[in-house]
Amino acid sequence: MSTHRTAGQAQHPAATPTDHPSWDPARLPDQTGRTHVVTGATAGIGYFAAEQLAAAGAHVVLASRSAAKLATAVASIEREVPGARLDTVVVDLASLASVADAAERISALPRLDGLLLNGASMSMKRRATTSDGLPLLLGTHVAANAALLAGTLPALADSGRRHGAARVVHTSTGFVEQFPMSVDDVRRTPATAIAAYVKAKTVTEVFAFELARRLEAADVPVASLVTRPGVGVDARTPHRAGIRDRSTTYRPNPYTPWAQGKDGAAWSAVRALTDPEARNGQYYAPAGRLRGAPVRVEPTARTATPDGDLAARVWAQVEELAVTALTIPALTIPARTIPAKVSAAVPVQE
């Protein structure tokens, strides 16, 4: 029996991954029996990540703010992937109350193998805020994701113990490497919206790698990984009714000649969720930086191994913004049913 399922996404020219020559984004490891939650799943990268995971056999839970858009996304995936196993959760990342409710519903799933933290506002209105009064980019990219993770981490850990290491995948951007940002004061808002976005993603990376260290230290079977999508543009994105067609907004992009579609931009996150060889603390990105097959890359030292106690201080500030303590679950495993030691580095079992 084949251990791969055809994902069915559009193909784009891509470099061969250097760390896993046999990795093929169109033939993902079989995800039958696994459950993955994808935020921001009604458009762009999040939608195509959900579609690709469903095509590989996963039970996919699409999470987004609009129930109507979730219904459109489900209908589109069902057309592309007959028999897809899908559910939806409405969550407004600009409201911590909504995030808490979504975390409760996600945690009630029979199992939870992967959480892709992809959704967040891309509004460039500098003075925009969340319903909790946080700057919109900081609130949705950082506080909301931390709160959602805090509410679902026990469920991820439980699934990891029962089925092999679960995963949380944090979405970042190549701008973090290109434009160093100070994160000593997480709440301080930069003067421009793009700088605020880069700072939010810098905080995301620092937090994600600190999470990886804490999970490893506690021997919790959950892996924390980081990805960046490269550049995905509408002009190269395949048609999907209600997702990418004449009824949806077309956004021109000057990088189009060197970019990929948003289906290809989803590959790095999908690999981080599904590659049996992916490990806690790793980073995945397109081989060609702007586009290409997903490969493992070295993370930026500024975020992966920051000086002194910066990571701990960022962690504490993020918890304050999220109005919750992100507690690493204690490892308690019944000796008769599960091996005595389960590491977050254990690959997902087929």
Side-chain angles (χ1 to χ4, degrees):
M1 180 181 295
S2 172
T3 59
H4 290 75
R5 295 278 293 269
T6 300
Q9 66 267 34
Q11 295 296 292
H12 300 286
T16 302
T18 58
D19 60 332
H20 195 319
S22 65
W23 184 264
D24 182 353
R27 290 181 56 81
L28 301 177
D30 189 358
Q31 297 297 294
T32 301
R34 298 192 178 93
T35 296
H36 296 294
V37 175
V38 179
T39 68
T42 58
I45 294 169
Y47 168 81
F48 283 101
E51 181 184 295
Q52 291 163 25
L53 291 166
H59 170 215
V60 183
V61 180
L62 290 75
S64 193
R65 182 176 58 183
S66 166
K69 289 184 177 180
L70 282 167
T72 298
V74 166
S76 178
I77 293 175
E78 288 177 339
R79 283 191 293 270
E80 299 296 322
V81 187
R85 296 182 59 235
L86 306 170
D87 279 304
T88 63
V89 170
V90 174
V91 58
D92 181 359
L93 295 176
S95 164
L96 291 176
S98 176
V99 171
D101 180 66
E104 183 176 354
R105 283 178 285 154
I106 290 168
S107 295
L109 292 166
R111 64 185 284 181
L112 179 59
D113 300 277
L115 173 62
L116 173 54
L117 298 172
N118 167 78
S121 173
M122 290 303 294
S123 170
M124 292 292 114
K125 297 177 181 178
R126 184 174 178 271
R127 297 186 182 278
T129 62
T130 69
S131 63
D132 304 287
L134 296 174
L136 188 60
L137 293 172
L138 179 65
T140 57
H141 287 268
V142 176
N145 284 335
L148 186 61
L149 178 57
T152 56
L153 187 55
L156 284 161
D158 181 64
S159 286
R161 291 165 188 147
R162 291 185 290 120
H163 305 294
R167 299 176 185 183
V168 55
V169 175
H170 312 256
T171 306
S172 187
T173 171
F175 288 156
V176 170
E177 183 179 20
Q178 292 177 270
F179 305 109
M181 301 290 295
S182 171
V183 293
D184 286 279
D185 183 351
V186 171
R187 188 184 283 268
R188 183 177 180 275
T189 304
T192 65
I194 187 63
Y197 170 71
V198 176
K199 180 176 180 178
K201 289 305 189 184
T202 303
V203 173
T204 293
E205 289 196 15
V206 173
F207 181 81
F209 290 120
E210 177 65 6
L211 174 62
R213 285 186 289 271
R214 295 188 183 207
L215 291 168
E216 182 177 1
D219 206 16
V220 176
V222 179
S224 173
L225 303 96
V226 181
T227 70
R228 63 173 182 255
V231 178
V233 298
D234 289 337
R236 292 182 178 270
T237 299
H239 177 278
R240 296 289 187 274
I243 305 296
R244 173 70 187 98
D245 61 16
R246 292 183 178 180
S247 71
T248 59
T249 302
Y250 174 82
R251 295 178 177 85
N253 191 304
Y255 287 97
T256 294
W258 306 278
Q260 61 198 337
K262 293 181 180 178
D263 54 331
W267 290 347
S268 294
V270 171
R271 180 175 179 183
L273 282 171
T274 63
D275 186 351
E277 296 185 9
R279 296 292 186 269
N280 188 33
Q282 290 182 342
Y283 197 128
Y284 287 86
R289 294 186 63 86
L290 298 185
R291 67 179 182 183
V295 297
R296 183 166 62 85
V297 298
E298 287 299 316
T300 304
R302 286 183 292 101
T303 58
T305 54
D307 294 336
D309 65 348
L310 179 60
R313 287 189 285 114
V314 167
W315 181 280
Q317 292 179 71
V318 170
E319 286 186 318
E320 183 179 344
L321 292 171
V323 196
T324 188
L326 205 162
T327 304
I328 304 300
L331 187 65
T332 55
I333 302 179
R336 290 182 299 172
T337 59
I338 302 180
K341 183 178 178 63
V342 179
S343 168
V346 174
V348 173
Q349 300 299 308
E350 294 296 339

